[in-house]
Amino acid sequence: MNDEPTIRDDKFEWAIYVDATLAGLAILIPIPLVDVLFEWIFKRRMPQAIARRNGRTLSPDTVRQLNRSNFSCLGCLLWPLELVWLLLKRTYRTILYFLTVKEATDKLSYYWHRAYLLNKMLERGDLDHQENAALAAQALHQVLESVTTSPLTQLAQEVIGNVRHILRSSWRWLRRKQKMK
């Protein structure tokens, strides 16, 4: 058995990532709630568009499972408050645009991860049969919830993880500089 990791040479295909890109960048629309609408539209288009790109079709139930949200009855009751909060938040974010750029990079990365996983699921045939599609959709949701897709968060984790190394290197540099004097 070979324990070495396999190196994948996946060719980048823009057609797979178009809707993911548009969903991730929809937040840059400066009109509150219109950005949410466009994000929702492009997110929902992703499974069928990627399936067509792979020469396949998905059943409506499979698409529904892939696009389901965590909306509950409690969410129905809180929806008006969430809508007001969303409107205020989006208006504030429009004023402070740099926050929007950060969220746009996070969403773009998230949707590119989603598009990549959907493409791999289709290539493997995980969405061909209804029984497997439910399990595959659940796996997709679990992976996306458990993985850090934000490039800025990953960078921050990398920096924090290397703080000891940076401090140790700085300390050595200072000691060498003092010895030279």
Side-chain angles (χ1 to χ4, degrees):
M1 180 163 207
N2 188 359
D3 289 336
E4 291 183 32
T6 57
I7 299 174
R8 302 185 72 111
D9 188 28
D10 290 336
K11 182 178 71 170
F12 181 81
E13 293 184 51
W14 174 246
I16 292 171
Y17 296 94
V18 170
D19 287 321
T21 301
L22 294 173
L25 295 177
I27 194 165
L28 295 176
I29 297 171
I31 304 167
L33 303 182
V34 173
D35 56 346
V36 175
L37 173 67
F38 277 93
E39 178 184 350
W40 179 79
I41 289 169
F42 292 120
K43 175 187 175 188
R44 297 186 64 76
R45 285 177 34 152
M46 285 174 64
Q48 285 291 27
I50 294 170
R52 273 193 306 277
R53 180 75 180 122
N54 283 283
R56 299 201 175 139
T57 57
L58 298 175
S59 72
D61 193 45
T62 299
V63 173
R64 211 174 2 266
Q65 288 174 351
L66 290 169
N67 287 332
R68 75 175 159 82
S69 64
N70 296 332
F71 203 66
S72 64
C73 285
L74 180 60
C76 291
L77 297 173
L78 295 176
W79 186 77
L81 291 174
E82 286 184 36
L83 186 61
V84 169
W85 173 249
L86 184 63
L87 181 61
L88 291 172
K89 186 170 97 172
R90 295 294 169 133
T91 303
Y92 180 74
R93 192 177 299 135
T94 301
I95 295 167
L96 296 174
Y97 207 68
F98 69 92
L99 293 175
T100 304
V101 172
K102 190 259 188 228
E103 190 167 344
T105 60
D106 291 351
K107 284 185 176 281
L108 180 61
S109 178
Y110 171 84
Y111 285 119
W112 275 41
H113 279 79
R114 187 174 192 264
Y116 179 83
L117 292 172
L118 284 168
N119 186 52
K120 289 299 166 192
M121 292 164 70
L122 282 159
E123 283 179 359
R124 290 174 28 118
D126 294 336
L127 303 174
D128 291 346
H129 303 290
Q130 195 60 45
E131 318 78 59
N132 296 342
L135 184 59
Q138 183 180 5
L140 173 73
H141 295 300
Q142 285 179 342
V143 167
L144 289 173
E145 286 176 11
S146 65
V147 173
T148 302
T149 58
S150 169
L152 296 177
T153 303
Q154 289 175 348
L155 177 63
Q157 289 171 341
E158 189 79 22
V159 168
I160 290 170
N162 290 322
V163 166
R164 277 191 10 215
H165 172 69
I166 292 168
L167 291 174
R168 203 174 324 130
S169 297
S170 298
W171 180 252
R172 284 185 203 140
W173 179 78
L174 285 172
R175 283 193 343 215
R176 266 190 261 142
K177 193 168 180 155
Q178 285 178 350
K179 286 181 182 179
M180 286 189 201
K181 289 183 180 182

